[in-house]
Amino acid sequence: MKESSKVVEICFGSGWMDRTVNPVQAPAFLNGSVFYGCPSAILRWAHPKCRSCFGKRLELTRRRLFAARGARLYLRGDLVAVDRVKKSSIEYETGYLCEGKSENFPHIQTLKNFPKEELSGKVVMVRFDSSILLGEKLDKNSLAVSNALFTVQYLLATAEKVILVSDWKREVSSKLLDSQSVSDILSSLLRRKVVSLKCLSCGVPFKRELLEEADIFLLENLSGFRKEVANCPEFSELLSSEVDVFVNDSFSLSHRVLASTVGISRFSPACVAGFQFEESLRELKRVLNTDKRPYIAIIGGANIHGKAAALKRLVSECDGVVFVGMMSLQIMHALEYSIPSTLLEPRSSDAAVEVIQSARYRKIPIITPKDFWCINDSPGYQIEVIPAHRLGEGWVPVDLGPRSLDEMDSLLSSCKKVIWIGPVKFKSSHSSICTDGASKVAQIVDRLAQRNCEIAIVGNKACSTMIKESRSSASCSVIENASVVWEVLKGRKLPGLLALDRAFPFKIDWTMAYRNPAQPLVVDIGSGNGLFLFGMASRRKDQNFLGLEVNKKLVRRCLDGVHQSGIPNGFFIATNATSTFRSIVSSYPGEVVLVSIQCPNPDFNNPEQRWRMVNRTLVEAVVELLAYNGKVFLQSDIETVVLRMTDMFLRHSKGKLSIVRDGTTKSRQQGSWLHENPFGVRSDWEQHVLDRGDPMYRLMLCKSATS
């Protein structure tokens, strides 16, 4: 086959469906023959003796084409689009290909960006952090306290009613006797009367009549309910009764699965992050950022076995690791130091060896203490500085020695970023007898901060020590709950974060998406392989067409088809439109004249999964952004699916939507079904259903000011 600089296409995909997705498609020439569709299918049809040879030639041809200068190669099976000449695609410009880079931190809907008009007249529940607002020594000037208070005050000024909910224990403050005492504390902080409600213990949903007493309420202490920790669906539904918007402002619990942070999101129409949650998430991203080098980690605390995955990630990202506290003893034991068995943790050996091997593979230093302040077992508890190699001679470590601190200071002197996570603490009944090694570590870190080194402090002990010793703690990134950071370092996702509504992460440049972005817009939610929109775009040049599809592979395939065929009025975005519809479509400069939802997955209609499909948040966004006389088209081959979607749109449209009834409708007992597709363009699944002789259930809704 002759290689050239022209665009050549080989289709690896699903046969005829790929051809329908791309109206303009170049054939593949192999050995003088022309093939359309899927080469894997050709291989299946070929004689067994020919398959191997044909497959090798196909792969060789593919590689030659890929290497050809100036060539553009589209591989349907791998869904790769490479343009060596110029990457001018809107897909690259807006960064859709990089959207999955930080899947642990999805773009979420925040209270700051949530439309204020959507809070008007609504009942809002706030899950607040008791350790911030109910602490014994409350510092109103701290950023955490001011953000937490601002979340509630912001809602009091915009929403109709606010319900507060949290868990608290006497360990946090001796003043926390019961719900009434907590209500009094919050009333003093907010300067508004907070009324205590008792309904959770009764197991009966509270009614709106109870909310007439005041503007802000407090539910019972969640720490007294086992169903809260078990994330019980019934308890979650009880919590969400009469709630229109749920605001999670307790980031310190985002690593746990609780009814008040995760379960409630299944029953709340809208779930957003409060100001304190948003700020804490921003801090976490800053803490985990590894752009500045050299980057050193100071790791304290214990339980090296449970944190092995997190430690290996730190080793893979840092330029050096300094171990302090109990964890340092486990590393030293793996390095063949003589460590008393009473100081070794169960199952620590293998984890320590893995961490050491990872560091050696990357050729980065692992620093362990060279000496300790120790107590001898002899009567009188003599305290001395003991070298690390003499720990096995009856000496028990209680703190870091001076040589260890000097070595740490020397290693960190040239750093551009330091993360300190975990306490400088040893397992000893005499740990109160120490020389303040943690304070000296804080002083070393503080000197680095004054030299413009980026500092991240994680954990209650490390944070409190840093606050006492630091003169520049305001410039440090601080996260008091180390459990959240450890979970993320282990590669796990935060359930409390994933439970919140998504927001689209990019701003759309509509001038790059469409030739004329002022034209009326048609949005197809769940556009699939794009057959419906491709057909509509070719018929109606006076309108723009946008497909929103959660399957990124299908979106890339559709964008590929748009570029090949040169369609000026079609575009696709990979997103979950259920929660991102508003943030995407609201920036469009023209009118939205039609929104269609066709043949959604019926599995989403299981009672326990119904919230995933068409929900109140989506309906309200569609109704608000739809132009007057704009239409909503719903269809499926399953009658109950259309009826449920229609019910959601009529129930939450505030009377602005009505069913279109004219001569083309065929009345049924449950509604007015459209007998024919009003657009004359069918989706692939619609065509499949009609070909097998089954009916399609269609409804059209219209928005008008007088509905």
Side-chain angles (χ1 to χ4, degrees):
M1 183 183 68
K2 183 178 180 181
E3 298 176 3
S4 70
S5 60
K6 296 182 180 180
V7 175
V8 184
E9 182 177 49
I10 303 177
C11 291
F12 293 78
S14 53
W16 65 270
M17 188 175 291
D18 281 35
R19 298 203 307 274
T20 58
V21 170
N22 301 285
V24 179
Q25 185 181 51
F29 297 88
L30 296 175
N31 292 343
S33 302
V34 182
F35 296 99
Y36 289 90
C38 179
S40 60
I42 299 172
L43 287 176
R44 286 196 299 270
W45 298 333
H47 190 277
K49 293 183 179 179
C50 301
R51 291 176 189 170
S52 176
C53 180
F54 188 88
K56 290 178 181 178
R57 286 190 176 187
L58 185 61
E59 175 63 18
L60 180 61
T61 301
R62 186 184 75 88
R63 293 183 180 181
R64 286 178 176 176
L65 284 172
F66 192 86
R69 184 177 181 183
R72 182 170 58 193
L73 176 65
Y74 296 92
L75 303 181
R76 289 283 180 263
D78 298 330
L79 299 167
V80 175
V82 177
D83 190 339
R84 288 199 169 192
V85 180
K86 184 179 180 183
K87 288 185 178 178
S88 59
S89 163
I90 183 69
E91 182 180 10
Y92 291 100
E93 295 293 335
T94 52
Y96 301 126
L97 297 180
C98 300
E99 186 177 354
K101 227 174 193 181
S102 56
E103 291 182 352
N104 283 346
F105 303 116
H107 283 73
I108 56 174
Q109 189 68 265
T110 62
L111 186 58
K112 180 175 67 176
N113 296 324
F114 195 73
K116 285 188 176 181
E117 58 271 17
E118 291 300 310
L119 295 171
S120 178
K122 300 292 179 65
V123 176
V124 181
M125 174 172 283
V126 180
R127 200 335 176 163
F128 70 93
D129 192 335
S130 60
S131 63
I132 294 177
L133 290 183
L134 303 178
E136 189 81 51
K137 297 179 181 179
L138 188 69
D139 182 8
K140 294 184 180 181
N141 295 322
S142 72
L143 183 61
V145 173
S146 60
N147 281 330
L149 289 176
F150 184 64
T151 295
V152 182
Q153 292 164 346
Y154 178 88
L155 291 170
L156 286 172
T158 52
E160 182 180 1
K161 304 290 180 181
V162 177
I163 301 173
L164 304 178
V165 61
S166 187
D167 59 337
W168 57 84
K169 297 179 181 179
R170 291 290 299 276
E171 291 81 357
V172 176
S173 174
S174 58
K175 300 177 183 178
L176 307 181
L177 302 176
D178 52 18
S179 296
Q180 187 57 51
S181 63
V182 175
S183 296
D184 295 338
I185 295 173
L186 294 173
S187 298
S188 176
L189 286 173
L190 298 168
R191 297 180 181 179
R192 296 280 289 270
K193 183 180 179 181
V194 179
V195 177
S196 179
L197 283 179
K198 293 185 178 180
C199 55
L200 298 179
S201 55
C202 302
V204 179
F206 58 87
K207 300 180 180 179
R208 279 190 183 254
E209 292 77 24
L210 296 174
L211 304 181
E212 300 300 326
E213 301 179 41
D215 294 330
I216 182 168
F217 302 86
L218 174 70
L219 291 186
E220 297 153 274
N221 186 358
L222 292 178
S223 62
F225 297 91
R226 293 182 178 178
K227 293 181 179 180
E228 155 74 352
V229 180
N231 189 28
C232 176
E234 292 78 11
F235 188 74
S236 301
E237 189 172 12
L238 179 64
L239 273 175
S240 64
S241 56
E242 299 297 335
V243 173
D244 298 308
V245 179
F246 169 67
V247 177
N248 189 351
D249 212 28
S250 183
F251 184 78
S252 63
L253 297 175
S254 58
H255 64 297
R256 300 180 60 189
V257 180
L258 303 173
S260 64
T261 59
V262 176
I264 191 173
S265 65
R266 296 180 56 188
F267 304 97
S268 298
C271 304
V272 303
F275 292 101
Q276 168 56 19
F277 192 105
E278 182 183 6
E279 178 61 28
S280 298
L281 180 59
R282 188 181 296 112
E283 281 290 296
L284 177 60
K285 293 178 180 178
R286 194 178 301 139
V287 165
L288 299 178
N289 183 37
T290 59
D291 289 343
K292 294 189 176 181
R293 300 286 178 171
Y295 170 33
I296 301 293
I298 304 173
I299 302 174
N303 188 21
I304 190 172
H305 173 77
K307 299 170 182 174
L311 293 173
K312 284 191 285 186
R313 172 173 170 177
L314 281 172
V315 168
S316 69
E317 295 176 346
C318 295
D319 300 305
V321 182
V322 180
F323 282 97
V324 296
M326 282 298 295
M327 212 174 292
S328 65
L329 300 178
Q330 319 310 313
I331 296 292
M332 291 169 63
H333 178 68
L335 293 172
E336 299 184 353
Y337 280 81
S338 178
I339 305 297
S341 59
T342 55
L343 298 177
L344 297 179
E345 299 173 351
R347 300 182 296 175
S348 63
S349 297
D350 292 342
V353 169
E354 289 179 6
V355 172
I356 293 170
Q357 288 176 343
S358 299
R360 286 175 176 170
Y361 177 77
R362 289 199 62 228
K363 298 180 181 179
I364 64 170
I366 284 188
I367 306 300
T368 57
K370 296 298 183 290
D371 58 353
F372 299 89
W373 282 99
C374 297
I375 290 181
N376 196 286
D377 292 337
S378 61
Y381 298 113
Q382 182 182 4
I383 182 168
E384 288 185 16
V385 176
I386 301 298
H389 63 271
R390 288 182 53 198
L391 278 182
E393 300 178 6
W395 292 98
V396 179
V398 294
D399 209 340
L400 294 174
R403 185 182 167 195
S404 301
L405 293 169
D406 290 342
E407 184 180 31
M408 183 188 304
D409 193 6
S410 175
L411 175 68
L412 300 180
S413 60
S414 61
C415 288
K416 296 299 181 182
K417 176 168 183 176
V418 171
I419 179 173
W420 176 11
I421 176 170
V424 182
K425 183 179 179 181
F426 295 92
K427 184 180 178 182
S428 172
S429 58
H430 309 289
S431 57
S432 58
I433 307 174
C434 61
T435 60
D436 295 329
S439 299
K440 293 180 179 179
V441 172
Q443 293 168 11
I444 293 173
V445 172
D446 182 52
R447 288 195 293 270
L448 292 171
Q450 295 175 33
R451 297 201 295 265
N452 294 323
C453 176
E454 184 177 317
I455 304 297
I457 311 297
V458 180
N460 288 320
K461 293 287 186 181
C463 290
S464 60
T465 305
M466 195 67 190
I467 291 172
K468 290 179 183 177
E469 301 294 335
S470 175
R471 290 176 292 174
S472 53
S473 59
S475 62
C476 300
S477 299
V478 175
I479 297 181
E480 294 191 1
N481 193 323
S483 299
V484 176
V485 180
W486 284 121
E487 287 298 298
V488 175
L489 288 173
K490 292 175 186 176
R492 297 174 184 172
K493 299 179 181 180
L494 300 176
L497 180 65
L498 298 178
L500 298 175
D501 290 342
R502 299 290 188 272
F504 194 66
F506 306 109
K507 291 183 179 179
I508 305 298
D509 185 352
W510 297 107
T511 59
M512 294 186 66
Y514 302 111
R515 181 176 298 171
N516 182 5
Q519 292 186 157
L521 182 68
V522 174
V523 184
D524 188 24
I525 299 176
S527 54
N529 63 16
L531 184 62
F532 173 74
L533 285 191
F534 275 114
M536 290 286 288
S538 62
R539 290 190 177 200
R540 296 296 304 269
K541 302 294 185 181
D542 59 328
Q543 294 180 344
N544 291 331
F545 296 87
L546 174 64
L548 303 179
E549 169 60 44
V550 72
N551 190 322
K552 295 180 182 179
K553 292 183 179 180
L554 291 179
V555 169
R556 294 187 186 190
R557 188 176 295 182
C558 291
L559 285 172
D560 192 10
V562 168
H563 300 324
Q564 289 185 64
S565 54
I567 297 176
N569 59 337
F571 189 54
F572 297 84
I573 296 176
T575 185
N576 182 355
T578 301
S579 55
T580 62
F581 181 89
R582 182 189 299 276
S583 59
I584 293 174
V585 180
S586 60
S587 64
Y588 184 75
E591 286 189 331
V592 181
V593 295
L594 174 65
V595 176
S596 63
I597 305 177
Q598 305 184 52
C599 306
N601 191 333
D603 292 342
F604 287 170
N605 287 272
N606 292 335
E608 66 275 10
Q609 296 180 339
R610 195 174 303 164
W611 62 281
R612 292 185 180 180
M613 201 175 142
V614 176
N615 61 17
R616 180 174 170 179
T617 303
L618 175 63
V619 170
E620 290 179 345
V622 169
V623 173
E624 179 187 339
L625 298 175
L626 193 65
Y628 284 110
N629 293 322
K631 304 292 196 302
V632 176
F633 178 57
L634 307 173
Q635 80 163 342
S636 175
D637 56 323
I638 300 177
E639 184 178 10
T640 55
V641 172
V642 183
L643 291 175
R644 189 165 290 149
M645 290 192 297
T646 306
D647 177 66
M648 290 293 293
F649 272 96
L650 294 178
R651 188 192 313 171
H652 300 298
S653 66
K654 301 176 182 178
K656 295 182 180 180
L657 291 181
S658 59
I659 299 177
V660 175
R661 306 174 190 273
D662 53 33
T664 65
T665 61
K666 183 178 180 181
S667 297
R668 298 279 181 99
Q669 184 177 358
Q670 298 293 337
S672 298
W673 303 125
L674 294 173
H675 185 63
E676 297 291 341
N677 187 316
F679 307 107
V681 177
R682 296 169 178 171
S683 67
D684 61 324
W685 186 253
E686 179 183 7
Q687 186 63 55
H688 172 71
V689 171
L690 296 177
D691 288 344
R692 72 187 186 196
D694 292 337
M696 288 294 296
Y697 301 94
R698 310 180 185 92
L699 275 174
M700 187 79 78
L701 305 175
C702 181
K703 177 182 177 180
S704 66
T706 58
S707 294

